[in-house]
Amino acid sequence: MAGRALLALVPVLAVFFFSVRDVASKSFAISNNCEYTVWPGILSSAGSAGMDSTGFVLAPGESRTMSVPTGWSGRLWGRTHCSTDDATGKFTCVTGDCGSGRQDCAGGGAAPPVTLAEFTMDGSGGMDFYDVSLVDGYNLPMLVAPQGAAAGGNCAPTGCMVDLNGACPADLRVASTMASGGVACRSACEAFGSAQYCCSGKYGNPNTCRPSAYSLFFKNACPRAYSYAYDDATSTFTCAGGDTAYAITFCPSTTSVKSGGQNSAGLPLMNDTMVYLAGDQVNAAAARHSLVVVLLAFAVSMALTCILH
């Protein structure tokens, strides 16, 4: 009897084993390479299993690895310039605040402008889909790099490795006494609220909503990141399902990946004419030159937009 009962349990144990293995098969290794503290925030999509944490703190140089449930979808971002009010005990952040009043976001999303990493695990065809989006603006550099992925799909690092806060156009810049060059860079949608920039109303489809001079500012700096709502062709990445780990790095060094690395669409991961955050990568003269190049390109784009319209 005992033997038969044990044999009957074998299929159940096998299902349990593989279920547990699948739940823990993917992971996020989240690292803070910034010279300042970052508070990652995490929001799971409706109907998706939750993560172990929805918000925590990473001091400069710190990392945290998290298991990712099978089929998880959601977004992850970094909050900056956070503090707790001594009188009320309320926790708030200047950028990326999720409105919970606590370090954990507890179901709250990121207030723009913010750099977002977006994921759908085990999606269509068993593929993982991921991107880094600047559609809601930008607050800090971020890199998403798959590790240990099986062959297949457009499986490549993506992100925005550039410090855009200093080069941000004046009408998009979020100023603060905490940083002389601004703390974030808004999207044109947030800054102006027009249907054209927000891809809404009659502009709510890829035929009528086209790149603007503002979205091109982001795209030219970060070629693989989403720059506006219909930027799918060059900004969505996929990895074959399996035991894939994703390294998510705030303020990545340009040595994290080869600067000339190409994805299957032929796009570089970053634009070498831009200013990088890490202090060992450009000297002051090069930084000033890069900033002039960026602002000149933006001015030309704006002029062309005015002429065409």
Side-chain angles (χ1 to χ4, degrees):
M1 291 290 291
R4 288 196 296 273
L6 183 60
L7 288 174
L9 283 173
V10 168
V12 176
L13 291 172
V15 170
F16 176 78
F17 171 79
F18 286 110
S19 297
V20 171
R21 185 196 68 177
D22 289 344
V23 167
S25 64
K26 300 183 192 297
S27 64
F28 289 156
I30 307 167
S31 302
N32 178 17
N33 195 45
C34 302
E35 296 178 353
Y36 48 85
T37 301
V38 174
W39 288 259
I42 299 173
L43 176 65
S44 299
S45 301
S48 177
M51 299 281 283
D52 292 340
S53 174
T54 60
F56 51 93
V57 60
L58 288 179
E62 281 193 332
S63 299
R64 176 168 176 170
T65 299
M66 306 179 70
S67 296
V68 181
T70 297
W72 184 82
S73 66
R75 46 181 48 182
L76 184 151
W77 66 96
R79 296 168 286 173
T80 64
H81 304 293
C82 303
S83 61
T84 300
D85 187 279
D86 292 335
T88 65
K90 185 178 181 180
F91 178 83
T92 57
C93 301
V94 175
T95 77
D97 190 75
C98 52
S100 67
R102 309 196 305 266
Q103 198 171 108
D104 56 297
C105 285
V114 66
T115 311
L116 291 171
E118 302 174 311
F119 295 88
T120 297
M121 302 298 193
D122 311 299
S124 177
M127 305 291 284
D128 293 345
F129 293 77
Y130 60 100
D131 66 79
V132 170
S133 174
L134 307 182
V135 174
D136 286 344
Y138 165 100
N139 69 330
L140 80 173
M142 182 190 297
L143 174 70
V144 175
Q147 299 175 337
N154 182 17
C155 191
T158 185
C160 185
M161 300 179 67
V162 182
D163 179 8
L164 294 181
N165 290 330
C168 182
D171 44 0
L172 301 184
R173 184 178 303 144
V174 177
S176 172
T177 57
M178 297 181 178
S180 58
V183 295
C185 193
R186 295 182 295 174
S187 67
C189 174
E190 186 196 0
F192 310 117
S194 70
Q196 180 180 0
Y197 290 134
C198 295
C199 293
S200 59
K202 68 178 182 180
Y203 295 98
N205 66 78
N207 295 321
T208 56
C209 188
R210 308 301 300 169
S212 68
Y214 292 104
S215 71
L216 288 173
F217 164 75
F218 292 111
K219 195 65 178 178
N220 289 336
C222 306
R224 298 190 197 178
Y226 263 90
S227 60
Y228 78 108
Y230 295 106
D231 197 9
D232 306 83
T234 59
S235 307
T236 299
F237 295 82
T238 58
C239 288
D243 299 338
T244 306
Y246 293 88
I248 303 168
T249 306
F250 300 112
C251 305
S253 166
T254 53
T255 58
S256 299
V257 293
K258 293 180 180 179
S259 61
Q262 305 285 319
N263 67 356
S264 61
L267 288 171
L269 177 58
M270 51 196 174
N271 183 337
D272 288 332
T273 66
M274 296 298 295
V275 182
Y276 299 102
L277 185 66
D280 61 346
Q281 289 152 1
V282 290
N283 58 32
R288 288 192 296 270
H289 174 265
S290 297
L291 181 58
V292 170
V293 170
V294 172
L295 294 178
L296 180 60
F298 179 74
V300 170
S301 297
M302 286 295 293
L304 287 174
T305 300
C306 293
I307 291 171
L308 293 174
H309 291 82

